[in-house]
Structures are given as C-alpha cells and as structure tokens.
Amino acid sequence: MSARQEAGTATGHRVVILGAGYAGMAAAVQLAARVKRREGVRVTVVNAQERFTERMRLHMTATGQRLAELSVPELLAGTGARFVPGWVTAVDADAKTVRIDDDRVLRYDTLVYGLGGIANTSAVPGAEDHAYTLNGAQDAEALADRLARLGGGTVVVAGSGLTGVESAAEIAERHPRLSVVLLGRAEPGAAMNPKATSYLRAALDRLGVQVRPGVEVVKVLPDAVELAGGENIVADAILWTSGTRVPPLAAAAGLAVDERGRIVTDAALRSVSHPEVYAIGDAAAIRQGYGIMHGTCQGGMPTGVHAALSIDRVLRGKQPKPFRFGYYHTPVSLGRGDAVVQFTRPDDSPRRICLTGRTAVRYKETVTTSPWPTYGRMKKVPASGAFWPRGGRFTRVRGGQMTDPFPHPHQQVFHEHRRLLFSAAVRPMPRTRSRTPGSNGPPGTARRWPTPRRT
C-alpha cells in the first residue's frame, strides 16, 4: 500500500520544518510570523509529540520534579503554521519529500531540518540496553520512576560534561539516600576558569557526589559498568550522558554530512549538496571562524531564526546572508539552590568573570525559562528574536568570504540587554557616560553603562 500523500497538489511555496526543539520552534515561529500575510506560502511543523521538551530541565524531570506542560500547537495557534504530529521515518532530498510514520508523505519546496541529537549509547556495548538517557521527557520520567523505587544503592552517571554534572548534582540533592558516582574522561568543569571549576567541584563534594575523572567506561552491564583496565563499579541505575549522536536520516536522504552525521552547511545554513534544505541546531555542522559550532540552546535558537530570515529573503527575491554566532556564557545548575555561570569569549573559551551561588541560580533560571516567552514575543514582533552576539573577529572566516550580516552595533545591544535583564543579580560596571540627545533621558544626565569588550 502506497503512503498517503498530503499537500501533494498544493500551490505556492511549501516550507516543512522537521523538529520542534529550541531551534525548530525558533524557525517555525519566526518564519510563520513573517509570511503570515503573504499569499501562497505554507509553513508546516512536524514533531513526534505535541509537548515541547525543555531539554535544559530534563535533569529536573529525572528526579521527579513536575514541569509546566508547554504545547507546541497552542503556541503556533494564530501564526498560520500547521502542526503535524508524527515521527519522521525518511527524507528523500532529491524527490523533496518527507515520510511521516511510514504512512504519510509531505512534499516541500524548502526544508528546515532540525532533528536534534540524542545520547550516543551506540558507542559502548550495553549502553543501549542497560542505561537510562535524557533524550526526552519520557526517558527522564523513566529514570525518575526507577530512582523513586530505590531505597538505597548507587547511581552511576557516565559522562562528566555539563549534562552529567547537572544530573549528578540534582540526583544527589533530591535522593540523599543514594550514592552518586560521576564518571568521565575529563575533570567536571574542565572548560571553565579555575575559580568556576573549583566552585563546581566543591559543590559536588558538598552534595556527596563521588567524582572519578580520567576513567573510561568500556561496557555497561545490567548492574554495573566496566572501566578500561577491568574495574567494575556496581550500580542500581546507570545514566548515560557521554556524547551525542544525530539520527542517520540526513545521511540516508543523500544530504552531505560530516563524520558525525550532521548536515554540512554553507555560510547561510543551507546544505552544501541541496541548497533548498536548511540545517539548524544540533543537526547542522556550522563552521565559524573558531571552528564547528557545538550544540547548545544559546546557539540553536539563533540558527533557527537565521534560517527563517534567510527563507524569507529568498521568497522576496533576495540572497540570504551569512550566519555568525559567538558564545557568551555557560550556566550550570548544581541542584536547586546552587549554580555556577562561566562567561565566555565568542569561541567558548572562558573569561575571568563567573557567577556563583544564589546570583548564578537566578541567572540560570532566567536563561532556562526564557525560550518559551521569547517565542511568544516573536509571534507579535518577529524582529525581537533577531538579536544575538555575532562574535566579532572570532567568527569571521578567513579570506573575506563571510561578512557581518547585521551591520548595526549588535554587541552593544547584547551587552545592554544582558545588563537590563540581570541588573538585580549583577552590579553595573562603575563607568559613566553622558547621555546624548535622543537617548532615554535628558541630555547631560549621567548613567552607569556596561563597557562592551572588544572581541
């Protein structure tokens, strides 16, 4: 029986967005808001479930904490975008079709590919069968159920990256009767500056987390993990946070991918092999002056917005502009009452400045809760989502092939936005600058301003 085709005879331009994560939602809301009144443009969003997954909060779900139910169709209501629930089972880049649940086919003129990464349980034998993951809310809830049924014992968190650190801290705080062991090749917080790293490690010690850096898990058993060298660590529950991988759909579709299966893009986020396909978020191998971007919410949302802006420009007969992004922070929760925030240079290397304690908790909570309200603002004012740090010299590609796509003083706008947003948490820098005519306030009045660093 042939698959049922949808919108097969539709006229106009069909844009299909795969995935409604942080990047996919940004693309969907931004594009739908911009083409809402334009005849002949149809935006369709495909996602496996109606509930929006707050990936930055999954470690909370994994410890039994209830989160708000955020509905993707409800957010898209009024934008003109159509929501299609279902699993993407195949993409044919040459035929420009997407197969949903093996029984429906969507045709597209432009595709936005935002199917993000999942835990790489295929790298180590036994991880797929015996370890829990935080791939989605259901996976996190399964771990929460297991932890709630344990009267005692040991929980092993395999992977000392930020997801592993946040998960280990949360489990140790919410389940003090359990012993938590954090395993990984690197020291937790190794990419931070010494002050932030020391604070993070002290917080883990205070929570009773046993940290084992410099080790490698080579096998996962039903009740233990085996380390390189033969040592076994007995575990009543194992959480796998070591590395990520992307679904093989892009490679199977014939799209050009890198060694990790991510779609290789040009400067405008288009597939280098199929320019009618835009890749965003974790699914894309996006090159900047400092190298390939790694998957984070702070970088994912701008890729979605930029893809929407690019599609809108093409539909208006213009050329898309290059994408540039510079990192600016690494916030890490250490349970509900503690956190550390490492501010970074655009290439993600640590600056000297960091926040700790309650101030960092407020900052982290503001960051974590910001995506959903941001989407709501973009529905009404699309331009409100088009501001992010471009990274200055760190993101320029050699040879002059990439230029600044937004010539306004974005860095100063970003720093001022951050000052306003977190004024209650961070003391303004004690530098004054006289106002000029046209600013908010009478000329000549002084006000404290942050001093944007040259990047």
Side-chain angles (χ1 to χ4, degrees), residues 321-394:
K321 295 183 177 181
F323 174 77
R324 289 175 63 188
F325 172 80
Y327 298 98
Y328 49 95
H329 66 192
T330 303
V332 184
S333 64
L334 301 168
R336 292 300 84 211
D338 203 358
V340 59
V341 178
Q342 173 67 70
F343 293 103
T344 68
R345 298 180 181 86
D347 64 353
D348 208 29
S349 60
R351 295 185 185 272
R352 292 179 297 172
I353 305 173
C354 66
L355 303 178
T356 58
R358 296 301 303 177
T359 299
V361 171
R362 291 193 293 270
Y363 187 108
K364 176 66 160 67
E365 184 63 16
T366 301
V367 169
T368 303
T369 58
S370 64
W372 201 251
T374 299
Y375 301 142
R377 286 192 297 272
M378 282 198 294
K379 287 176 63 174
K380 300 177 181 178
V381 185
S384 66
F387 294 91
W388 61 84
R390 266 63 179 187
R393 63 181 175 83
F394 287 88

Side-chain angles (χ1 to χ4, degrees), residues 88-451:
V88 178
T89 54
V91 176
D92 190 328
D94 294 326
K96 296 184 180 180
T97 59
V98 176
R99 187 177 292 268
I100 312 296
D101 292 331
D102 285 330
D103 67 350
R104 289 176 291 169
V105 173
L106 295 179
R107 295 188 177 277
Y108 66 83
D109 298 296
T110 299
L111 180 70
V112 180
Y113 190 102
L115 301 176
I118 58 176
N120 189 14
T121 52
S122 63
V124 173
E128 186 78 40
D129 299 321
H130 308 304
Y132 292 89
T133 65
L134 298 181
N135 290 335
Q138 291 183 337
D139 298 308
E141 289 166 358
L143 176 58
D145 180 67
R146 173 61 175 164
L147 296 178
R149 290 186 285 107
L150 290 176
T154 300
V155 178
V156 167
V157 179
S160 57
L162 301 184
T163 301
V165 168
E166 291 191 323
S167 301
E170 205 76 33
I171 294 170
E173 182 179 79
R174 301 285 292 189
H175 298 280
R177 68 187 182 279
L178 299 176
S179 297
V180 180
V181 181
L182 179 61
L183 307 175
R185 298 185 182 92
E187 180 77 24
M192 298 180 171
N193 68 28
K195 178 183 176 181
T197 301
S198 297
Y199 188 91
L200 184 151
R201 183 59 185 268
L204 293 176
D205 291 342
R206 172 178 53 80
L207 291 168
V209 177
Q210 181 184 351
V211 179
R212 295 279 305 274
V215 300
E216 181 179 1
V217 177
V218 296
K219 190 174 184 179
V220 178
L221 305 171
D223 57 358
V225 295
E226 181 181 328
L227 305 182
E231 179 185 357
N232 276 17
I233 298 179
V234 176
D236 298 277
I238 302 163
L239 173 60
W240 193 264
T241 67
S242 181
T244 60
R245 59 184 171 90
V246 297
L249 286 172
L255 297 166
V257 299
D258 68 358
E259 67 281 358
R260 294 177 55 185
R262 298 174 298 184
I263 298 174
V264 180
T265 71
D266 64 9
L269 305 187
R270 297 171 299 191
S271 163
V272 295
S273 60
H274 296 75
E276 69 280 358
V277 177
Y278 290 78
I280 58 177
D282 298 348
I286 302 169
R287 179 169 294 281
Q288 298 288 281
Y290 49 75
I292 302 296
M293 289 178 60
H294 60 81
T296 62
C297 175
Q298 66 173 306
M301 289 179 64
T303 65
V305 172
H306 187 84
L309 296 174
S310 297
I311 294 170
D312 181 55
R313 287 183 63 84
V314 171
L315 292 174
R316 290 186 287 116
K318 298 182 179 181
Q319 287 296 313
K321 295 183 177 181
F323 174 77
R324 289 175 63 188
F325 172 80
Y327 298 98
Y328 49 95
H329 66 192
T330 303
V332 184
S333 64
L334 301 168
R336 292 300 84 211
D338 203 358
V340 59
V341 178
Q342 173 67 70
F343 293 103
T344 68
R345 298 180 181 86
D347 64 353
D348 208 29
S349 60
R351 295 185 185 272
R352 292 179 297 172
I353 305 173
C354 66
L355 303 178
T356 58
R358 296 301 303 177
T359 299
V361 171
R362 291 193 293 270
Y363 187 108
K364 176 66 160 67
E365 184 63 16
T366 301
V367 169
T368 303
T369 58
S370 64
W372 201 251
T374 299
Y375 301 142
R377 286 192 297 272
M378 282 198 294
K379 287 176 63 174
K380 300 177 181 178
V381 185
S384 66
F387 294 91
W388 61 84
R390 266 63 179 187
R393 63 181 175 83
F394 287 88
T395 59
R396 295 193 183 102
V397 175
R398 293 181 180 179
Q401 297 178 358
M402 181 178 287
T403 58
D404 195 337
F406 296 88
H408 56 69
H410 49 75
Q411 289 287 6
Q412 183 171 343
V413 169
F414 166 70
H415 282 282
E416 173 63 1
H417 171 71
R418 188 170 68 182
R419 187 194 68 79
L420 292 172
L421 190 60
F422 304 111
S423 59
V426 184
R427 178 177 298 177
M429 298 181 68
R431 177 175 176 176
T432 62
R433 183 178 298 172
S434 297
R435 291 185 181 271
T436 57
S439 63
N440 293 327
T445 57
R447 178 179 176 178
R448 297 177 184 269
W449 289 91
T451 306

